[in-house]
Amino acid sequence: MSAIQTSFPATEAVEHPPYLWAAGVTLVALAMYVATLAPTTQFWDTSEYIAAAYVLGIPHPPGNPLFTMIAHVWGLLPLAAGFAMRVNLLAATTSAIAAGCWFLVGERWMRGWVPARLPRRLAAAAGALVAGTAFTVWNQSVVNEKVYTLSLLSIALVLWLIVRWDDQPAGEGHDHHLLMIVYLLALTSTNHMMGVLVGPVVAVLLYPRLKTTRPQDDDARRVEWSQFLVFSTVWLLIVGSGLEGVTPLIVFGVLFLGALAYAVVYARNGTFALAVLLVAIVGVSVYVFLPIRAAHYPPINEGEPTTWRALWDVLTRQQYGKPELYYDPRYPGAGQPRTLELFGQQLLNWVQYFGWQWGRDLKDNVRWALTVMFSFIGGLGAYRHWRADRRTAIAMTTLVLCVTVGLVFYLNFKTGYSQYPDHPNWPREVRERDYFFIISFALWGVWVGMGLATLMEWASDGMALRVPDAERRWLLATPVLLLALIPLWGNHLTASRKGETLARDFAFDLLQSVEPYGILVTAGDNDTFPLWYAQEVEHIRQDVTVVNLSLANTDWYLRQLQRRPLATFDPGSAPAIYRGRAWAKPTGPLLSFSDAYIRDSLQPVYWLGEHKTYANLGGVTVTLDPQQLGRQYLERADVIVLQAIKDQLGRRPLYYSRTVGPYADQFGLTANLEGHGFARKLSLHPLTESDSIKMEPVFGFVNIPRTEALAFGVYHSDTAERRRPRGWVDKPSEGILATYGLLYQSLAQALRPTKPEMANRSLLVADSIFRNTQYGLIPPSER
């Protein structure tokens, strides 16, 4: 190495950050994300967040006020067609800027051992490319499914700011960097607490004893110590604000008072300490949005934090009843301790997700080979980083451990959705949770860039005898950087969401299945949040009242249902089957319950005992059978739906979405349910087969003319049929796509005797849909 280094011309004493290069990296990443951007809403939390941003509402705990305000304003800018696509573009933009920051960090940390400027910058760009094209990063950057791309940006910005602060001569203040860091940490906590995980990195680089050069002046040393102590305790205060209970706030508050006393008495740096506290308070003050906006009762007002208690419950996520860290999450309430074996399984779940990052499109054996390769390259980069600059390597390693091992321990997930498939009965997560680890995959890309630079270094050393010019040797070694293109090639099919409109179209189709002023019972995220989006953002069928079974167990949701005004049915934007007749608009709330009854009298559960009983609700006989229900009690949500039947049957149409499965059948209502496409209408009297009503396997009684009219005149079958090269990637939500296939398949059987041509058409649609699912997918490599 000495020969290589001495052959370089003297470099500038101070090399300025290559911001133009960083801008170029950002633009390239943005172009890639825009080319694969989702054109509208998607499944899971996407619709909830987009709708909440549109109405300036409050999404699920902890409320994410920073995201809501930023997305609302961003969505007003004429940057793309439609509000949803604009918010998706926000995710792309934040991730692209983060990629520029990863480039700056990697480039700065490689200066000590990659003397050739152009190869070094190319290596840093390669690392940023790997960070930006890792499957989870890419897939989350083309749709605003969560708030984590905003956290990704805040972590990248804070990391770059502390790197810039660290470039200052030892003993100099540069307090503006630290104040900006504290402000960003406090601010990002109001988006999601994930963003504050970068705090330990700042603390490591602030720690005076690790400085390679320290001032001998005691006053300067005390200032450094005061900066470290003040920052660390304020960071702990911010973290404490996101933990349950007031104890962390009290403990960390006392620690801060001690740090403040040290800064004032010993370091004479009290102004800095108070400024840090002030900017932290300004940052977290964004939380004030929650009670202020909640008091105006927006259409989406989850948790309804209009009181101190409700606000605290929202901020501490009480709605989810997260298990304590030392208990097994698979058996809530059982008090089973969390074992090392379980923690090992949770770590292996992260390893599984890590294995998806570098070639998700490819066969398992190729994908795992790439995982080994990128593990080696990233590990090599970490090793070279440690050899070159132990102090910044400790900081980087601390951050990586925080967003991997630390996060795995804190989240305490059940068995992963696709983990251990040979144990199908194990309690597991309802979906893949790889998005929680988006930061770790991006950071690994930075180390991959360093690893590629190390390979270049080895190649350069190998050419020392044949190529005397050191800079030329580094340039000749740059083809190694082409390895950074592998994730771009290996993820471009599964990471892309270009042209995907199924969630939006399914919401449209399901809402249009319901007669005017209907009540629609849904099950969870994927059959509810898209409906919220369709109604609030695109104003589709706002006359339909959606009752979600998961949320109906909460007080705030019931108050929201009772308060929600019933929109007037617009026949001009509805299918032709609903036109040509007058639809009387009902009056009054959904339930006859008073607010006081909901608040004081509704119980979480109602015990049934061991024997079957019957109840007459609005003229319909409901069976309450513990064996049929699989439990000896009714949940509050069950009571709400039964009360809606009692209060509204005969006044408003009442439907069950097919996505709720056999829920209504468990109450003995099968004979009263008439299938209208994706929904089943509750009839006052039991049904019998006729020319129009047929009993179909799986689907029960189906109104064939109505379902045919919906399937071929209303539904977006072309969206469901759309060829997807790797099938439906997100297996937990594949049931929505399969529901389309089952509907057209069942309709084909019903139409066969009377309309064989329509039956054939329906069957072809079903076959095209099933090709996108695990039931009928033929991978590209096997076609």
Side-chain angles (χ1 to χ4, degrees), residues 333-396:
Q336 293 195 22
R338 184 180 186 182
T339 62
L340 285 176
E341 179 184 8
L342 174 60
F343 183 55
Q345 292 176 4
Q346 293 166 336
L347 287 173
L348 287 176
N349 193 202
W350 179 87
V351 172
Q352 176 192 16
Y353 294 149
F354 182 82
W356 291 359
Q357 302 308 309
W358 323 115
R360 190 81 163 94
D361 299 348
L362 309 175
K363 293 182 178 180
D364 289 348
N365 56 347
V366 178
R367 186 168 66 246
W368 283 110
L370 290 177
T371 301
V372 172
M373 184 179 78
F374 278 92
S375 297
F376 169 76
I377 296 175
L380 181 63
Y383 170 76
R384 190 65 183 89
H385 191 187
W386 273 79
R387 283 191 56 200
D389 186 352
R390 180 166 296 184
R391 184 163 167 276
T392 60
I394 289 175
M396 179 70 165

